[in-house]
Amino acid sequence: MGRAPALIALALAACDGTTTASDAPVDVDLVDFPFTGTFLDWDSTASAPCPIAGATWIAHYDDQRSATTEADGTFMLRLASYATLLDVTPPPTAPACAQGTYAVPGIAIAPPAVVLGGGVFVARAFTQSRMPAFDATRGALLIHANGTPRAFSISATHAPEQAFDGTAWVAGASGVDVYFPSIDVPMTKLTTVTVAGGNAIGVGAAPLVPGAITYMTVILR
């Protein structure tokens, strides 16, 4: 598979910079900053890691800013602080620890407040054989939580959410990772993310594109 479809870039063009972040000191004069993260298989755990190598991460506004995940699933690229959305294209082949291939492209949100606030960015992808509920005509959202898990919610209508507790996926909206499937994409192509108790960095408006997963990291305080 090549880079994420042009549809993602077109849909995101009007959404850049819409993600909000609260209670975080950010250098407004910052021109660019290093963005690092890890890309893992849907069922990867600390005891049975399954990193995804060969995936591409490209700033949709500037394809000269790009990175490919290493054998351990990590990547790094520099982003401009005024435009921090990336197109994510999974690799054409899956690692030996997974079954099948990865077919769903993604959108990554990397606001400076989260990155400079110490947020650890982690994204996950599922193979076609492992695919949970997914509707290509709707959007999807995967939130990685830094801090003690609390329940997330979004403003758009969606199928029942799932949460990863570190070892397995279960029903619920509170976990290390929380997945919202089959989201009705609003006309604005945005959904508002909130968390119980508030006091979090990175919540706010998140872009949605039918047939793609939006990835975001939130720091819970």
Side-chain angles (χ1 to χ4, degrees), residues 26-39:
V26 178
D27 183 355
V28 294
D29 296 322
L30 186 68
V31 175
D32 62 35
F33 61 97
F35 172 52
T36 61
T38 304
F39 201 28

Side-chain angles (χ1 to χ4, degrees), residues 61-209:
Y61 64 93
D62 181 1
D63 61 11
Q64 297 303 303
R65 295 176 184 258
S66 64
T68 300
T69 52
E70 303 291 343
D72 61 356
T74 61
F75 65 90
M76 191 282 283
L77 72 161
R78 299 193 73 84
L79 293 175
S81 60
Y82 55 82
T84 55
L85 296 174
L86 302 94
D87 296 339
V88 184
T89 302
T93 58
C97 51
Q99 299 292 323
T101 57
Y102 302 101
V104 181
I107 307 158
I109 309 172
V114 173
V115 176
L116 300 180
V120 177
F121 182 91
V122 177
R124 293 175 179 268
F126 40 73
T127 62
Q128 290 176 303
S129 61
R130 173 62 179 85
M131 188 179 292
F134 188 80
D135 184 342
T137 68
R138 298 183 177 186
L141 174 67
L142 181 68
I143 304 170
H144 180 68
N146 285 241
T148 303
R150 303 201 302 269
F152 286 97
S153 60
I154 63 174
S155 58
T157 303
H158 59 87
E161 60 270 18
Q162 303 172 35
F164 187 70
D165 61 10
T167 58
W169 287 93
V170 297
S174 177
V176 176
D177 297 295
V178 177
Y179 177 61
F180 291 90
S182 299
I183 304 172
D184 288 335
V185 179
M187 291 295 293
T188 59
K189 295 184 172 62
L190 297 171
T191 189
T192 301
V193 179
T194 55
V195 63
N199 197 17
I201 301 174
V203 294
L208 296 171
V209 173

